[in-house]
């Protein structure tokens, strides 16, 4: 059976699935329940400096977008960092780590942007014997208005400065958590590496307002008639997270920088995709908050089954394998030609492919009504955009098929296309329209 064990910055865990810093990791009872369920590690909910307690709102902290079947697509939260006493958190962290020495236990931190504050809390966290710290430079709400969270993460110079402070004041591994609320995520990642950070984790939540209540004329998450922006997570953010992880993974300036991936990870397949892009661990929050801690058992079983089927003995056997396939648009092969093909045995004649292609694409699917509805691809007009494949309700009914160079005897279309254009064929004038 596949070996799911990972070693991330010298921190070992039985599998790559860690709970992200969030409400599920804010106390001993939750974390121990998670470990009993099978999670390989946790990042303890963000701690702040000692002093006046953080006060969270009461009433509604979460908003959501659901699919037609009420499946959770995205969640939004306006919760702040831990509102529990620092001393209680530190004591519980120490107790949990001693009781579960084989699990990864990372502590998330957020304090004001001055060296003394970071030095003080690092010294206290180090006494817990935890495995490392994660610098929370990502939260887009509440704390950012106080000059912390994403207010730091959006300024690479601050990221570098704080990372350097932390590396100077602790022996523990330092993970820098990045905000997605930025134009180019590579800049803070480069800054984290330049400041001595041992790894980066991403993405944190995306700044958002989920819905507006059109009766109350307030955000749907409202406290006494007022609402605010919060952080969005869940399955909907996965494509953004994949893109940002890939940007860092293939950036020469970030070469060798370990990545802990976060963002919409709900299944083993989601996790495997991030690992294929170079992630050493994956952090999960929304899936646990939606399905409970035992969801990790499906994730570990599914990942192990996949690895067995592919012949991967360890996580390292496929980690990063997808990175070489990611490139910039200008390096794509413009001479590659693919056309849609419809399997008439599977087609249910619903006509969705025809309608969307006719109305919004290239008018490349026509309807034949000679006794029976039938939809056929006009290859002279098809540009292989894939829209018909996506809207077809029958899996594998429509596929894109690679066409080799030469003339298709059915249409006269010459597949040896110069970049950005078709070669019109003298035996088929209809192709000339596609060549204009």
């Amino acid at each position: 059976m596949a070996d799911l064990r990972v070693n991330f910055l010298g921190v070992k865990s039985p599998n790559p699935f860690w709970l992200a810093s969030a409400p599920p990791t804010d106390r001993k009872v939750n974390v121990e329940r998670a470990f009993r369920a099978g999670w390989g590690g946790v990042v303890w909910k963000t701690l702040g400096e000692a002093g006046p307690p953080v006060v969270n709102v009461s009433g509604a902290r979460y908003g959501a977008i659901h699919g037609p079947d009420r499946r959770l697509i995205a969640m939004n939260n306006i919760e702040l960092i831990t509102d529990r006493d620092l001393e209680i958190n530190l004591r519980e962290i120490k107790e949990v780590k001693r009781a579960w020495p084989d699990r990864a236990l990372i502590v998330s931190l957020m304090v004001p942007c001055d060296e003394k504050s970071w030095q003080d809390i690092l010294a206290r966290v180090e006494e817990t014997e935890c495995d490392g710290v994660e610098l929370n430079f990502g939260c887009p709400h509440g704390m950012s208005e106080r000059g912390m969270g994403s207010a730091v993460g959006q300024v690479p110079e601050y990221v570098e400065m704080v990372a350097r402070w932390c590396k100077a004041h602790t022996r523990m591994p330092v993970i820098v958590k990045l905000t997605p609320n930025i134009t180019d995520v590579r800049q803070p990642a480069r800054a984290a590496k330049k400041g001595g950070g041992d790894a980066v984790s991403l993405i944190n939540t995306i700044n958002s307002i989920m819905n507006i209540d059109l009766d109350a004329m307030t955000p749907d998450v409202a406290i006494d008639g007022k609402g605010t922006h919060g952080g969005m997570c869940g399955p909907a953010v996965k494509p953004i997270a994949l893109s940002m992880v890939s940007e860092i993974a293939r950036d020469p300036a970030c070469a060798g920088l370990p990545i802990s991936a976060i963002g919409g990870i709900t299944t083993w397949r989601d996790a495997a995709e991030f690992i294929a892009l170079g992630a050493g661990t994956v952090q999960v929050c929304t899936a646990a908050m939606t399905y409970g801690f035992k969801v990790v058992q499906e994730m570990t079983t599914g990942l192990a089954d996949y690895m067995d089927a592919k012949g991967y003995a360890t996580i390292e056997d496929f980690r990063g394998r997808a990175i070489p396939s990611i490139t910039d648009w200008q390096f794509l092969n413009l001479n590659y030609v693919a056309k849609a093909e419809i399997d008439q045995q599977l087609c249910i004649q619903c006509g969705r492919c025809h309608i969307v292609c006719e109305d919004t694409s290239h008018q490349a699917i026509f309807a034949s009504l000679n006794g029976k509805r039938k939809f056929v691809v006009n290859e002279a007009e098809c540009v292989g955009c894939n829209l018909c494949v996506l809207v077809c309700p029958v899996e594998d009914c429509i596929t894109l098929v690679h066409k080799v160079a030469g003339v298709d005897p059915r249409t006269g279309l010459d597949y040896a296309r110069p970049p950005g254009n078709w070669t019109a064929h003298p035996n088929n004038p209809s192709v000339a329209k596609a060549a204009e």
Side-chain angles (χ1 to χ4, degrees), residues 1 130 155 200 276 307 329 342:
M1 185 175 178
C130 69
V155 184
V200 291
M307 291 170 61
W329 194 96
I342 300 174

Side-chain angles (χ1 to χ4, degrees), residues 26-37:
D26 78 334
R27 61 191 63 211
K28 177 181 177 179
V29 62
N30 287 14
V31 171
E32 291 199 320
R33 283 175 61 86
F35 284 160
R36 284 194 294 271

Side-chain angles (χ1 to χ4, degrees), residues 216-433:
M217 286 298 171
T218 66
D220 63 344
V221 177
I223 307 299
D224 194 23
K226 298 287 185 181
T228 187
H229 62 95
M232 186 176 77
C233 55
V237 312
K238 176 191 159 190
I240 299 169
L242 282 172
S243 177
M244 290 189 168
V245 166
S246 75
E247 287 294 292
I248 294 172
R250 64 192 188 93
D251 180 18
C254 294
L257 186 63
I259 298 171
S260 182
I262 315 167
I265 298 166
T266 307
T267 68
W268 70 264
R269 184 178 294 273
D270 298 329
E273 291 176 27
F274 281 103
I275 294 169
L277 286 176
T281 65
V282 291
Q283 296 186 33
V284 179
C285 171
T286 309
M289 294 180 72
T290 305
Y291 303 110
F293 285 150
K294 288 186 178 180
V295 70
V296 73
Q297 295 167 13
E298 296 180 13
M299 293 179 175
T300 53
T301 300
L303 182 59
D305 288 346
Y306 163 77
M307 291 170 61
D308 286 340
K310 292 293 184 179
Y312 298 136
T314 70
I315 295 292
E316 290 301 311
D317 287 346
F318 75 99
R319 189 173 68 85
R321 283 205 174 191
I323 297 172
S325 70
I326 310 291
T327 189
D328 295 332
W329 194 96
Q330 64 264 31
F331 301 121
L332 298 177
N333 181 8
L334 298 184
N335 288 312
Y336 183 91
V337 177
K339 301 289 181 180
E341 289 189 0
I342 300 174
D343 185 332
Q344 298 299 334
Q345 298 299 314
L346 293 176
C347 181
I348 61 174
Q349 293 85 43
C350 67
R352 289 181 64 185
C353 60
H354 165 67
I355 291 299
V356 298
C357 189
E358 193 74 15
D359 286 354
T360 69
S361 195
H362 292 81
Q363 299 77 52
I365 298 178
F366 59 90
S368 172
L369 300 177
N370 294 328
K372 181 182 178 181
R373 284 167 62 91
K374 183 178 180 181
F375 299 94
V376 181
V377 176
N378 177 2
E379 291 187 346
E381 300 294 343
C382 179
V383 300
C385 71
N386 204 43
L387 178 60
C388 57
V389 177
L390 299 179
V391 302
C392 179
V394 180
E395 188 174 3
D396 297 327
C397 177
I398 306 178
T399 54
L400 284 188
V401 179
H402 176 218
K403 303 295 183 176
V404 298
V407 177
D408 188 319
R410 298 169 296 173
T411 64
L413 183 64
D414 190 340
Y415 293 124
R417 178 182 60 162
N421 200 1
W422 287 112
T423 300
H425 195 276
N427 295 333
N428 189 347
S430 67
V431 180
K433 180 182 178 182

